[in-house]
Amino acid sequence: LILLPDGRACFYLGDVPGHGVAPAILSSMLKGLLADLIQDSGDLEPATICNQLHRRFRKLIDDPSLFATFVLAIYDPVARELRCMNCGHPPPLMIDADRTDISSRFTGEGGLPIGVSFRPGDPYTTADESVVTIPDGATILFFTDGLVEARHRSSGEECTRDTLLATFRDLLRDVPLSPPPSEIFQRLVDAGYEIGAD
């Protein structure tokens, strides 16, 4: 989460392939590149930032097997507007105050993961962004594919987005105000999903 000088807030979530030291270094590099970009950028819009991040990433890393799924969002608390660029990442879940699923409001197509496109030009456009007005009392869950691809220790079946949505709704019913994100993990583990695999 990065607070911007104009009162908006930028936040992002990324996931790199693999486990261990190399992916951890790649994640740290992305974090540093993004912090520099946001500090230096005059255009703080998600598609622009993701294009610049992609170019800098490819300049430093020339290995096509290294990339990052990534979601970057900028929230305007005055307009209650969230501008979101999704780069190969699962779209977020959003539940309104009545616990109705309103995730479909995230309509942007998004694009390829950061570092995947080797074509000339920018891979991301503002047309790919989702622009969503957040209703009063709504809660949004951004997550990596590690949650929806977690397998059940007995059946071997994947968790799926529907299971995650049901778990999210139950959590908001039980803890309606500011539920701790770690509770999602705990509930999925308690239900038998092997979260530690990713």
Side-chain angles (χ1 to χ4, degrees), residues 105-128:
R105 294 186 185 187
F106 290 95
T107 57
E109 291 295 318
L112 295 169
I114 297 288
V116 167
S117 177
F118 283 84
R119 295 175 299 175
D122 291 335
Y124 312 112
T125 69
T126 55
D128 298 323

Side-chain angles (χ1 to χ4, degrees), residues 36-143:
D36 285 347
L37 268 173
I38 290 174
Q39 184 176 1
D40 298 341
S41 180
D43 185 355
L44 292 171
E45 298 305 332
T48 303
I49 293 169
C50 289
N51 280 323
Q52 292 176 11
L53 183 62
H54 169 78
R55 285 194 300 269
R56 290 188 186 189
F57 179 86
R58 270 295 146 232
K59 189 174 181 180
L60 294 172
I61 305 289
D62 196 27
D63 182 346
S65 69
L66 297 176
F67 59 89
T69 63
F70 199 77
V71 60
L72 184 135
I74 296 181
Y75 179 63
D76 181 338
V78 176
R80 297 185 60 83
E81 182 182 85
L82 186 72
R83 297 181 67 89
C84 184
M85 184 71 222
N86 199 349
C87 307
H89 209 73
L93 297 175
M94 183 163 63
I95 307 296
D96 71 10
D98 297 327
R99 291 194 305 280
T100 301
D101 177 20
I102 54 173
S103 307
S104 61
R105 294 186 185 187
F106 290 95
T107 57
E109 291 295 318
L112 295 169
I114 297 288
V116 167
S117 177
F118 283 84
R119 295 175 299 175
D122 291 335
Y124 312 112
T125 69
T126 55
D128 298 323
E129 293 178 358
S130 288
V131 181
V132 179
T133 300
I134 310 298
D136 277 342
T139 306
I140 303 172
L141 177 66
F142 286 86
F143 58 95

